[in-house]
Amino acid sequence: MSRGGADRPAAPATLDDTLAWAFALVARGVADRRHPFHTPALATIGLDGAPQSRTVVLRGLDPAARRLRLHTDARAGKVAELAAEPRAALLFYDAGAQLQLRLSGRATLHRDDAVAGEAWATSRDFSRMCYAIQPAPGQPVPAPPAAPLDSAAGRPHFCVVILHLDRLESLHLAASGHRRARFDWDAAGTLAATWLVP
Ligand SMILES: Cc1cc2nc3c(=O)[nH]c(=O)nc-3n(C[C@H](O)[C@H](O)[C@H](O)COP(=O)(O)O)c2cc1C
């Protein structure tokens, strides 16, 4: 897709269509490993209160429930951060669509439940292997550790992060005028949507 050519999709004209477009592109990010939305940045609040961000793979989306699924190592810094402060944000940018999405909500952590079991069962062996690394991620070591060989050893460290969305903000860049919109869901799931000045 070109960055500004005639083949670029027109900006959605309504808030409803903007939200539907945003979720459709996030769904593509789950399904298509080459799509820019496949690897958003996850932002958390560090244990010292400072912001932290890192690239993650987007593994799942349930648009009706407004839930996104990520996989990580239970020993990683982000897990301790989310356990202490579940508020988190995901940042996406698709240069082809000229669309930025800022998603935020609260994270729940899943290690020993059905959510984790199903995600592990459907993970590829190559992905499972990541969680078998020793020692724990983020530890200082004198030299890079050897790649793990036994993927089953990763299961005790496997952790699913579910982000329960309560806000989605979109910014679509266009020569005809940038469009920024915000969508907020309250605790009952009622949506409030508004355009914002870009
Ligand atoms: C392309 C890419 C994809 C990544 N995907 C994940 C992922 O899905 N889950 C994850 O925990 N870390 C992933 N990482 C590694 C993180 O960016 C980060 O380095 C690591 O998780 C440690 O972060 P933390 O110490 O803040 O927990 C990925 C890194 C890159 C470059």
Side-chain angles (χ1 to χ4, degrees):
M1 190 185 293
S2 81
R3 283 169 181 252
D7 58 339
R8 253 186 66 195
T14 66
L15 287 166
D16 279 353
D17 287 350
T18 300
L19 184 59
W21 188 46
F23 274 133
L25 284 179
V26 174
R28 275 192 55 196
V30 175
D32 180 354
R33 268 186 275 165
R34 284 181 297 274
H35 193 276
F37 281 9
H38 191 58
T39 47
L42 171 70
T44 53
I45 298 165
L47 296 177
D48 60 358
Q52 295 286 343
S53 65
R54 76 291 280 161
T55 308
V56 291
V57 171
L58 184 64
R59 302 285 181 178
L61 167 72
D62 179 343
R66 301 188 315 281
R67 285 197 288 255
L68 293 107
R69 178 165 50 87
L70 314 169
H71 296 173
T72 192
D73 190 307
R75 302 166 295 174
K78 69 180 83 54
V79 173
E81 291 166 8
L82 290 169
E85 169 52 86
R87 286 181 297 168
L90 278 173
L91 175 68
F92 300 79
Y93 178 56
D94 180 340
Q98 292 281 278
L99 180 69
Q100 171 182 266
L101 296 181
R102 301 161 75 182
L103 275 53
S104 54
R106 288 176 180 273
T108 52
L109 302 170
H110 305 263
R111 296 184 63 179
D112 301 318
D113 59 8
V115 173
E118 190 183 335
W120 180 261
T122 55
S123 290
R124 294 178 308 156
D125 210 52
F126 173 78
S127 304
R128 292 175 174 179
M129 207 69 88
C130 301
Y131 310 104
I133 191 79
Q134 292 290 357
Q139 295 301 306
V141 281
L149 298 172
D150 174 18
S151 64
R155 179 62 188 91
H157 308 137
F158 180 64
C159 181
V160 175
V161 178
I162 302 287
L163 184 66
H164 304 258
L165 281 193
D166 53 32
R167 172 170 286 184
L168 183 155
E169 194 180 299
S170 66
L171 174 65
H172 183 237
L173 304 175
S176 54
H178 304 329
R179 292 185 181 189
R180 181 177 174 187
R182 190 177 66 208
F183 304 87
D184 284 303
W185 291 270
D186 67 14
T190 305
L191 172 63
T194 183
W195 296 110
L196 300 172
V197 176

